Amino acid sequence: MTMHTHTLGTTGPQVSALGLGCMGMSALYGDADRAESIATIHAALEAGVTLLDTGDFYGMGHNELLIGEALRTAPAARREQALVSVKFGALRDPDGGWSGYDGRPAAVKTFAAYSLQRLGVDHIDVYRIARLDPAVPIEETVGAISELIEKGYVRHVGLSEVGADTIRRAAATAPVSDLQIEYSLISRGIEDEILPTTRELGIGVTAYGVLSRGLISGHFTGDRKLAANDFRAMSPRFQGENLQHNLNLVEALRKIAEQKGASVAQIAIAWVLSRGAQHGNDIVPLVGARTRERLAESLGALDVTLEAADLAAIEDAVPAGAAAGERYPAAQMAHVER
Ligand SMILES: NC(=O)c1ccc[n+]([C@@H]2O[C@H](COP(=O)([O-])OP(=O)(O)OC[C@H]3O[C@@H](n4cnc5c(N)ncnc54)[C@H](OP(=O)(O)O)[C@@H]3O)[C@@H](O)[C@H]2O)c1
């Protein structure tokens, strides 16, 4: 496995070809094993992964504390290479409920102060609001991040799940390193307008849900019991007939994977990488591995080369729009700009 690095957008940091998304280590996919989570972060850093993604609301600070511990206990050379990307702004309640987003400048600075403390770092590498706050112009939210950059607390502005108009307004306010957004074989909504916009403006993409939260990993089975605190128990794509339809797509993908001597997850990750290959490798998948075993599998995607014939076969097996069910329940879909 060779770990290449790419610049995130024209103004962002140099990052590894794959990033590690740490969300599932603290929230949303049922319980995780803390020691294994830290071992996974260490193994990722050891393999040359430099980008760690989190959100202050993943387990209400749990994920940042976890990353902080992993960084503190990593060898100094690895710790110094690590870049932390943080999302803020989600309002939560003690029951785990979601109550909107706060992008007011004073709130941005407060969120940042707490994140720096939990992570145990003196700066955040990329800072972004998780969803647009409809009550606050994006210029004000980005302006507050710019002030944090001037003071040295943040290095780069990022965006998350926003549409072309917001991307343009943000980029007119400050240089934007990357847009974090869902992108996979079965979530291709960014291709028509959003991706051309990021490319025009020199903004990179950090893609999440590359395995559609495990659905197209090749490991998910129709009889898997999901805990009540698992997002997938409410996700339209994981329900009843939708689930069966989507798992049938995975079986079509499995045939291609077998011919390539790769796993289904590796094919799905390699496909996302291939979408940026002609554009200066502007798409960096954030893999959501939370065990060393899954991490090793994900990293193996970097050794998979998809030729034109492979890409055509994949497109045939899983054409754009093939998935059944939206990627979020309706209430959460309302917060993503399309
Ligand atoms: N900006 C946003 O709005 C947003 C939203 C969501 C996530 N994110 C970020 O993106 C990161 C990745 O998202 P995601 O976790 O949904 O991505 P994902 O990679 O699509 O899904 C990860 C899940 O897939 C399963 N899986 C099965 N095989 C795997 C393999 N070989 N490698 C990795 N995972 C495998 C695991 O579930 P099991 O362990 O249950 O098998 C894992 O928890 C998150 O950690 C977070 O940092 C951002």
Side-chain angles (χ1 to χ4, degrees), residues 146-168:
S146 298
E147 284 180 43
L148 292 167
I149 292 175
E150 277 164 29
K151 292 188 171 168
Y153 294 123
V154 169
R155 294 273 198 269
H156 300 277
V157 176
L159 294 170
S160 172
E161 284 289 358
V162 288
D165 181 49
T166 303
I167 297 169
R168 287 187 191 285

Side-chain angles (χ1 to χ4, degrees), residues 20-24 28-29 53-55 58 63 87 128 130-131 159-161 180-182 207-215 217-220 224 230 232 263 265-266 269 286-291 293-295 297-298 328:
L20 181 66
C22 300
M23 177 182 83
L28 293 155
Y29 297 154
D53 185 71
T54 183
Y58 292 163
N63 205 232
K87 289 179 293 301
R128 68 187 90 238
R131 298 285 183 272
L159 294 170
S160 172
E161 284 289 358
Q180 190 173 114
I181 200 156
E182 185 161 357
Y208 77 82
V210 167
L211 299 178
S212 198
R213 303 166 183 274
L215 179 58
S217 66
H219 298 293
F220 202 89
R224 182 162 163 184
D230 193 319
R232 297 170 291 194
S263 74
Q266 288 168 344
I269 297 167
L286 297 172
V287 298
R290 50 190 182 165
T291 62
E293 193 186 345
R294 296 286 198 241
L295 173 73
E297 182 186 12
S298 301
Y328 282 103

Side-chain angles (χ1 to χ4, degrees), residues 178-179 190-191 199 245:
D178 65 295
L179 167 69
I190 69 172
E191 289 177 354
R199 286 181 171 155
H245 171 93

Side-chain angles (χ1 to χ4, degrees), residues 223-288:
D223 58 1
R224 182 162 163 184
K225 296 273 172 286
L226 295 167
N229 62 352
D230 193 319
F231 163 84
R232 297 170 291 194
M234 287 150 301
S235 165
R237 287 188 173 168
F238 287 81
Q239 310 305 317
E241 284 176 15
N242 286 353
L243 177 61
Q244 201 41 59
H245 171 93
N246 295 331
L247 290 177
N248 289 343
L249 298 174
V250 175
E251 288 320 303
L253 213 50
R254 198 184 300 279
K255 293 200 182 76
I256 299 166
E258 280 167 3
Q259 281 162 11
K260 291 290 291 179
S263 74
V264 179
Q266 288 168 344
I267 294 292
I269 297 167
W271 181 86
V272 172
L273 282 166
S274 79
R275 305 299 283 180
Q278 308 296 319
H279 301 272
N281 297 302
D282 64 343
I283 304 180
V284 174
L286 297 172
V287 298

Side-chain angles (χ1 to χ4, degrees), residues 14 25 27 54 59 86 138 144-145 151 158 163 199 205 222 257 280 291 296 298 319:
Q14 189 85 1
M25 297 175 182
T54 183
V86 180
I138 190 68
I145 303 176
K151 292 188 171 168
R199 286 181 171 155
V205 167
T291 62
S298 301

